[in-house]
Amino acid sequence: KNQVEQSPQSLIILEGKNCTLQCNYTVSPFSNLRWYKQDTGRGPVSLTIMTFSENTKSNGRYTATLDADTKQSSLHITASQLSDSASYICVVSGPLTGGGNKLTFGTGTQLKVEL
Amino acid sequence: NAGVTQTPKFRILKIGQSMTLQCAQDMNHNYMYWYRQDPGMGLKLIYYSVGAGITDKGEVPNGYNVSRSTTEDFPLRLELAAPSQTSVYFCASSYNWKGQDEKLFFGSGTQLSVL
């Protein structure tokens, strides 16, 4: 069964600190792995997308890594800001039979950044 | 550029009532998707469409219907609302799936309660 598991479930850090969120998956076939940020009451917004051959990808203070052999990914947030408070969702993508992508979503890590 | 627009933002239904969740995108995307997000769960695909006139079932299609008469619009219909359909519904769109960095754009969601 295709699954995406994220840890920790929730995390509280002080502003300015770094943090790393984890994602393990068992999805097959695999097209790419995505990290999304979801603010409360809003839809998810894409942060990074990595294919099988990519090990790391950055988007500003967000850096995602991918180990396709162990089926693990991480999202590192540097110098956190209050606006980073959100749910971070790991999503693994594979092709749909009729076209488009089948996305398997993790349940997210709820990050809170405090002063 | 509005992106993906969903209406309404909130709705309360009685058991057995019907309603249509509206979704429109102005990015000329071919692919559109409906997801539901239950508390503590990852998003689940309800239906998707690869172009006008073409729709297909996702993981959890029971109790829902869709149509895609234009590229821009992808409404989701609930015929006989049940408490199990209480959820947050997200519409999303993408240009195509063949590109490795194909990105999904999400609407801001519709919070539906069935009582």
Side-chain angles (χ1 to χ4, degrees), chain B residues 34 49 53-55 65-70 73-77:
Chain B
W34 273 106
S49 169
I54 306 170
T55 63
N65 277 301
V66 293
S67 59
R68 185 94 181 272
S69 56
T70 67
D73 300 299
F74 190 40
L76 178 71
R77 178 84 177 161

Side-chain angles (χ1 to χ4, degrees), chain A residues 4-110:
Chain A
V4 176
E5 296 182 348
Q6 293 186 242
S7 61
Q9 190 173 4
S10 62
L11 181 63
I12 301 175
I13 62 173
L14 295 176
E15 187 181 30
K17 297 296 185 182
N18 303 336
C19 68
T20 300
L21 314 180
Q22 301 292 341
C23 173
N24 296 334
Y25 64 93
T26 60
V27 175
S28 180
F30 174 88
S31 292
N32 54 57
L33 185 143
R34 309 147 182 245
W35 282 94
Y36 283 85
K37 178 186 179 187
Q38 185 176 19
D39 292 315
T40 301
R42 308 290 294 178
V45 174
S46 179
L47 293 175
T48 63
I49 300 176
M50 288 183 294
T51 62
F52 184 88
S53 60
E54 294 177 296
N55 300 118
T56 185
K57 202 156 201 178
S58 292
N59 178 0
R61 294 180 295 102
Y62 301 102
T63 299
T65 65
L66 174 64
D67 185 334
D69 291 331
T70 61
K71 297 188 176 180
Q72 296 179 323
S73 176
S74 66
L75 180 69
H76 187 74
I77 304 175
T78 304
S80 61
Q81 300 176 357
L82 296 178
S83 60
D84 291 333
S85 296
S87 178
Y88 290 85
I89 304 173
C90 176
V91 186
V92 180
S93 173
L96 275 167
T97 304
N101 279 304
K102 174 177 170 54
L103 304 184
T104 302
F105 288 76
T107 55
T109 291
Q110 189 69 43

Side-chain angles (χ1 to χ4, degrees), chain A residues 31-32 34 36 38 41-46 49 51 57 89 95-103 105-107, chain B residues 9 31 33 35 37 40-45 48 50 56 59 90 97 99-104 106-109:
Chain A
S31 292
N32 54 57
R34 309 147 182 245
Y36 283 85
Q38 185 176 19
R42 308 290 294 178
V45 174
S46 179
I49 300 176
T51 62
K57 202 156 201 178
I89 304 173
L96 275 167
T97 304
N101 279 304
K102 174 177 170 54
L103 304 184
F105 288 76
T107 55
Chain B
K9 290 193 179 296
Y31 293 82
Y33 313 81
Y35 289 91
Q37 186 176 35
M41 304 288 288
L43 275 76
K44 298 292 185 184
L45 181 65
Y48 68 101
V50 303
D56 209 343
E59 301 170 84
F90 289 100
W97 66 274
Q100 290 294 331
D101 61 349
E102 171 263 338
K103 188 185 296 187
L104 258 67
F106 284 86
S108 57

